[in-house]
Amino acid sequence: MDATSNIKSAYAQLEGKSKNLSAFQEENWKTFSGIGIPALKHEEWKYIPIKNVFKASMNIAVEHDAFDQSALSNYILPGTEDANHIVFYNGRFQEHASKINEKDKLVVKSLEIAAGDEDAAFVETNLGNSQGYHPDGVNALNGAFAAGGAFIKIKKGAVISQPLIIYHFADSSNGFRFSQPRILVSVEDNAQVTIVETYVNHGGGESLTNEVIEICTGRDSITRYIKLQNEGNLSNHTGTTHVRQLERSNTHAVTITLDGAVVRNNLNMVMEDEHAESHMYGLYLLKGNTLADNHTIVDNRMPHCESNELYKGIMDDQSTGVFNGKIFVRKDAQKTNAYQSNKNILLGDQASANTKPQLEIFADDVKCSHGCTIGKLDEDALFYLRARGISEKNAKALLLHAFASDILGQIENEAIKNYIETLISDRLSLEA
Amino acid sequence: MLKIENLQARIEEKEILKGINLDIKPGEVHAIMGPNGSGKSTLASVLAGREDYEVTGGSVDFLGKDLLELSPEDRAKEGLFLAFQYPVEIPGVSTTNFMKTALNEKRKYQGLDPLDAAQFLKLMKEKMKLVQIDQALLSRSLNEGFSGGEKKRNEIFQMAMLEPKLAILDETDSGLDIDALRIVANGVNQLRSKDNAFLVVTHYQRLLEYIVPDYVHVLYKGRIVKSGTKELALELEERGYDFIKEEVDQAIA
Ligand SMILES: Nc1ncnc2c1ncn2[C@@H]1O[C@H](COP(=O)(O)OP(=O)(O)OP(=O)(O)O)[C@@H](O)[C@H]1O
Ligand SMILES: [Mg+2]
């Protein structure tokens, strides 16, 4: 049995089980069956041998696997015990294991239910919006299994004081685990929230998580989003974070990739109304054979929107970092300000980086800039520090830490920032 | 303290130091002068351990150790300090932060306990006063956006913090206004003792009025071609380098 027939038999078990999402699933399944998993010749996947990641031996969960609730406590990010927790297990939302403190402001339920209750209209207009930006089999395949997903709503004007942390567990103890979480988020007008996603592969085997999260940010809302990837080097990931921004909404995203096998992150900011603002930051600190590919899109459709983007990469050993940043400025999007920068440091002789800005501008009154660098650690700076008595190892760590610090500084939540800071310091083995 | 014998060095295929001899004893101040491109900064870099330069001959003894065998960081830990002619800008690293790392690495090397936050702060305050440098400057990214004078003053601050046995100052006076020059010279003079020594590279007699040298050497085309006392600096100020260049070039021809 090859990967596709494995997926087919999983889909067959699931077919007809969903009441409210079956049409959506079927449509996506049709798309997936037509185009399959992208090959290297696919322009958007040319650095990622994604076909090889889909293994014939994949375990695909279609029924609700029971998640051992007590396992969560071992993985809570330090200092965030009081946060709102949402648990996914093998790609499926685990309502019983999730913990929502601010229930009057925050609704979390299964996507299947949301598609049939008072939120059905929102689901109808927003679910699947990312497909237009990623018309490939990977996105469609997630859609075909969407019924296991979750729906999150931050109510109008609500300020959520504790972050909303989404834990994605993949159980690989019985072999290669394939999970497909699906999340739809509504940040209603004037609401404020911090959403964190983090991933745990437990079981020590191989895994692939193919995720789609779609967020609609309402008028005057403020959304902070952090994606932290620090699974082992057997964990593969293909994920899309798609944000549809309404008038004057403000989105701030930080994507941190510290480990993994093949990792692909798509981040889309669609500026659908005037005066929307988005900030996109990324840090990929790679070692071993990790391949991390960040594809970002800012689509300016209306005037007076602003975006800032800074991604930084440090590649050691044989690792590879890929950055592709698209900025579209449509005909009507006058007075757009869009800035983009990508900086890479290669530590290992075998390490590599690919960076490609892609600006397509159809309006005339805009300010756009982009820049990218790929280099080694600054030799003059290294010598300066060593000449003051700092060992070569510590001097390198200091410089790399400094390089990473302006991305870390973007994380507002202190507990999460400190935690990531520790992970990075440990990695760079800075001795005080 | 420092004994340089017939030191030769090159970069890529270019011979720059062609046999330097210099003997510096504890308590002494030596000045090195010489035209642009004569090799003064190269000598300083080779002594500090810059690996771009290849030492092709000679030896350097520093406090009984073979200096050329040591890594740059170990040279610093043994008590060598170089105030750079062009201090490097390092975004994201503050002077305070990196001085703490440097100082504690040195203490560890010497078998001493690291300074805790309070002890470090106390030492910093004391040395800041010595070179009249502002806390705000030290909290900023190292040398980033510093004026020329601020960079030089920061070098002297670091020297004061690390209390080296031998400090090499490479044109620390260039770009300083008169007040800053006095402050820097003052900082150096307060650190002078019978146990440590200074090697001061400068183009100007002016600095030597404040930091009075025991010896003045002229470096030209990779060699020390003339040595004397502080009067030599005065003579150079008046006459320029031409008379020395002529002497040397004739001798070679
Ligand atoms: N990296 C290098 N590559 C090639 N040549 C170099 C390099 N570094 C120094 N040199 C050459 O070595 C010679 C000596 O340079 P050095 O900087 O030591 O001079 P200096 O005496 O300090 O001059 P100045 O008074 O201008 O500071 C110069 O001719 C310079 O061009
Ligand atoms: Mg020089």
Side-chain angles (χ1 to χ4, degrees), chain B residues 40-251:
Chain B
K40 303 181 298 295
S41 292
T42 302
L43 174 62
S45 295
V46 168
L47 293 176
R50 181 105 208 193
E51 279 143 8
D52 303 353
Y53 299 92
E54 189 194 343
V55 175
T56 50
S59 66
V60 182
D61 178 288
F62 179 55
L63 297 164
K65 289 208 163 82
D66 180 356
L67 187 75
L68 300 175
E69 282 295 303
L70 300 176
S71 66
E73 51 268 39
D74 284 352
R75 296 179 197 201
K77 286 168 184 153
E78 289 289 343
L80 189 82
F81 181 90
L82 169 62
F84 285 70
Q85 182 175 2
Y86 304 110
V88 186
E89 301 194 2
I90 309 185
V93 177
S94 69
T95 307
T96 312
N97 189 10
F98 112 88
M99 265 296 109
K100 193 166 179 186
T101 311
L103 200 68
N104 282 337
E105 274 205 41
K106 184 172 179 178
R107 290 180 65 89
K108 193 170 162 189
Y109 186 83
Q110 294 167 329
L112 300 169
D113 284 337
L115 292 184
D116 64 27
Q119 291 166 316
F120 179 76
L121 210 67
K122 185 163 169 283
L123 184 70
M124 267 228 336
K125 288 239 164 77
E126 189 184 302
K127 304 298 184 183
M128 274 161 56
K129 216 190 262 163
L130 188 70
V131 294
Q132 299 181 24
I133 199 166
D134 210 54
Q135 170 74 56
L137 206 62
L138 303 180
S139 310
R140 271 166 54 185
S141 280
L142 185 60
N143 294 324
E144 199 182 30
F146 284 25
S147 74
E150 286 169 341
K151 285 181 184 170
K152 296 300 173 76
R153 211 184 288 196
N154 189 280
E155 295 291 288
I156 298 304
F157 167 75
Q158 293 174 35
M159 178 185 81
M161 288 293 287
L162 294 168
E163 298 179 340
K165 296 198 182 91
L166 174 68
I168 303 167
L169 310 185
D170 191 359
E171 296 198 28
T172 304
D173 54 334
S174 304
L176 292 183
D177 66 40
I178 307 196
D179 291 337
L181 183 71
R182 211 172 286 138
I183 291 163
V184 163
N186 213 7
V188 171
N189 286 331
Q190 293 204 36
L191 294 168
R192 274 177 87 161
S193 78
K194 62 176 187 4
D195 299 320
N196 58 20
F198 291 84
L199 181 60
V200 181
V201 176
T202 183
H203 285 295
Y204 307 105
Q205 147 67 15
R206 203 180 55 180
L207 177 73
L208 304 180
E209 280 169 19
Y210 295 105
I211 306 171
V212 182
D214 300 294
Y215 299 94
V216 174
H217 311 277
V218 178
L219 192 65
Y220 179 54
K221 291 190 173 169
R223 288 190 182 90
I224 289 178
V225 292
K226 206 170 179 70
S227 295
T229 54
K230 61 179 193 285
E231 282 70 32
L232 177 58
L234 276 171
E235 189 182 0
L236 290 169
E237 181 94 350
E238 250 166 56
R239 298 178 62 188
Y241 289 112
D242 281 355
F243 79 99
I244 292 182
K245 286 183 187 173
E246 269 164 37
E247 272 176 41
V248 174
D249 294 342
Q250 261 168 22

Side-chain angles (χ1 to χ4, degrees), chain A residues 378-381 383-392 394 398-399 402-403 405 431-432, chain B residues 49-51 72-73 76-77 81-82 84 88 90-93 98 102 105 142-143 155 158:
Chain A
D378 181 350
E379 287 291 331
D380 291 331
F383 178 67
Y384 187 91
L385 296 177
R386 292 178 71 191
R388 295 294 178 258
I390 298 176
S391 69
E392 188 174 3
N394 273 350
L398 260 176
L399 292 177
F403 180 77
S405 69
E431 287 157 16
Chain B
R50 181 105 208 193
E51 279 143 8
E73 51 268 39
K77 286 168 184 153
F81 181 90
L82 169 62
F84 285 70
V88 186
I90 309 185
V93 177
F98 112 88
E105 274 205 41
L142 185 60
N143 294 324
E155 295 291 288
Q158 293 174 35

Side-chain angles (χ1 to χ4, degrees), chain A residues 240-410:
Chain A
T240 294
T241 301
H242 179 85
V243 185
R244 176 180 167 224
Q245 290 197 233
L246 301 187
E247 213 170 332
R248 290 182 306 275
S249 64
N250 184 320
T251 306
H252 184 287
V254 183
T255 305
I256 310 266
T257 307
L258 303 178
D259 206 353
V262 171
V263 176
R264 166 63 172 263
N265 296 315
N266 297 321
L267 176 62
N268 310 336
M269 297 289 180
V270 182
M271 318 295 244
E272 225 173 80
D273 270 336
E274 297 193 22
H275 298 288
E277 194 179 315
S278 76
H279 304 267
M280 307 154 87
Y281 294 91
L283 174 68
Y284 38 103
L285 176 53
L286 313 178
K287 62 178 162 60
N289 292 310
T290 301
L291 191 171
D293 177 346
N294 280 289
H295 267 59
T296 67
I297 298 175
V298 182
D299 185 6
N300 293 279
R301 308 175 78 100
M302 293 293 274
H304 299 290
C305 291
E306 184 167 331
S307 63
N308 269 306
E309 183 171 13
L310 174 61
Y311 271 69
K312 287 187 158 188
I314 299 172
M315 273 65 67
D316 205 348
D317 303 329
Q318 304 84 258
S319 62
T320 303
V322 179
F323 175 81
N324 178 295
K326 294 185 181 64
I327 296 177
F328 303 124
V329 182
R330 313 254 172 177
K331 201 165 84 274
D332 293 335
Q334 299 295 356
K335 308 279 182 196
T336 290
N337 287 336
Y339 307 102
Q340 181 191 91
S341 168
N342 173 232
K343 296 181 177 165
N344 297 282
I345 292 180
L346 300 178
L347 291 180
D349 291 338
Q350 317 257 22
S352 63
N354 291 291
T355 172
K356 185 181 178 192
Q358 217 174 314
L359 277 61
E360 292 178 26
I361 301 171
F362 301 102
D364 44 31
D365 186 12
V366 301
K367 280 189 201 145
C368 290
S369 73
H370 66 87
C372 48
T373 57
I374 300 174
K376 302 225 168 235
L377 260 188
D378 181 350
E379 287 291 331
D380 291 331
L382 203 56
F383 178 67
Y384 187 91
L385 296 177
R386 292 178 71 191
R388 295 294 178 258
I390 298 176
S391 69
E392 188 174 3
K393 185 163 157 267
N394 273 350
K396 280 185 178 166
L398 260 176
L399 292 177
L400 293 173
H401 207 271
F403 180 77
S405 69
D406 45 355
I407 303 294
L408 279 176
Q410 289 295 329

